[in-house]
Amino acid sequence: PAAAPEAAAPAPSPSGPVVLRARADTWLQLRERGSGSIVFDRVLRAGESHVPPASRDLVMTVGNAAGLEVLVDGERLPPLGREGAVRRDLPLDPETLRRLAAPAPPAAVPAPASLPVPAFAPAAEPPAVAGPVVLTARADTWLLVRDRESGRVLFDRVLRAGERYPAPRRSGLVMTVGNAAGLDVAVEGEALPPLGGEGVVRRDLPLEAAALRRLATAAR
């Protein structure tokens, strides 16, 4: 009788001095420190791994610090941040990653000082008025909203599935989204088509009703 075929060997685990593994879906960008050239820029799905090339001077930005496992020479490091935290421009060299992941020593607690009680509380800044654009996460996705002219960031974190972000009623805002298909956009109550495919990063999209309608139509 013919011998039974041998079972295929399991695929080898990704290896390298630094291995990045997604514990949960998280947007990940790697770029060269000197030139700014982007070498990786997409959502890393839960269970996926990526091995950065060791020969290049890279920094990474991650949209969900707690959702990314970092292994250095096979050793799993503590999380680089909390759930939903965005960490930017982290050097991808082993020693720096070990320092960044090391827990900080407890800060000394100063003795309570006797402070005068103010006669009245300062007036709070009035809340931003919601506008006609509402963003709802269909799946976890990183979202950044900023002022185009000043660069001031209004929102910068992972929007969890089911969470909503009503964009403020003001001109000049743009958004960057880490997973275009994971974000539902409604303009004046009308649901628009997705702004892109699964895992696609869209940058600096104007948060204006007419512009979003045009972009959603073009992305079909």
Side-chain angles (χ1 to χ4, degrees):
E6 293 185 6
S13 299
S15 62
V18 176
V19 176
L20 308 174
R21 180 185 301 149
R23 184 200 307 267
D25 291 359
T26 184
W27 172 70
L28 176 67
Q29 182 189 85
L30 308 181
R31 64 178 179 83
E32 285 191 329
R33 197 195 312 253
S35 67
S37 173
I38 293 174
V39 300
F40 187 93
D41 187 4
R42 69 172 176 86
V43 172
L44 203 63
R45 297 297 176 195
E48 275 192 288
S49 296
H50 179 73
V51 181
S55 58
R56 301 170 74 170
D57 184 15
L58 300 178
V59 292
M60 76 170 173
T61 296
V62 56
N64 178 14
L68 188 72
E69 288 183 346
V70 179
L71 290 86
V72 172
D73 296 326
E75 173 195 357
R76 185 167 61 190
L77 303 185
L80 292 169
R82 58 181 173 75
E83 191 74 20
V86 178
R87 297 295 305 272
R88 299 182 181 280
D89 297 337
L90 305 179
L92 274 179
D93 65 87
E95 291 311 311
T96 303
L97 286 171
R98 284 192 175 100
R99 286 198 304 272
L100 289 169
V109 179
S114 177
L115 298 175
V117 178
F120 58 89
E125 183 178 341
V129 178
V133 177
V134 177
L135 310 173
T136 304
R138 180 198 305 264
D140 291 0
T141 185
W142 171 67
L143 176 67
L144 169 72
V145 177
R146 65 179 181 85
D147 185 279
R148 182 175 11 220
E149 294 300 322
S150 68
R152 177 171 173 255
V153 174
L154 282 71
F155 188 92
D156 184 7
R157 69 170 176 85
V158 172
L159 202 63
R160 297 297 176 196
E163 276 192 288
R164 298 168 70 246
Y165 176 75
R169 187 185 294 274
R170 52 185 284 190
S171 61
L173 297 183
V174 293
M175 73 171 175
T176 296
V177 56
N179 178 15
L183 190 71
D184 288 335
V185 180
V187 173
E188 295 170 345
E190 173 195 356
L192 302 186
L195 293 169
E198 191 73 22
V200 171
V201 179
R202 298 295 304 272
R203 300 181 181 283
D204 295 338
L205 305 180
L207 273 177
E208 298 160 4
L212 286 170
R213 285 192 174 104
R214 288 196 303 271
L215 288 166
T217 301
R220 286 180 178 177

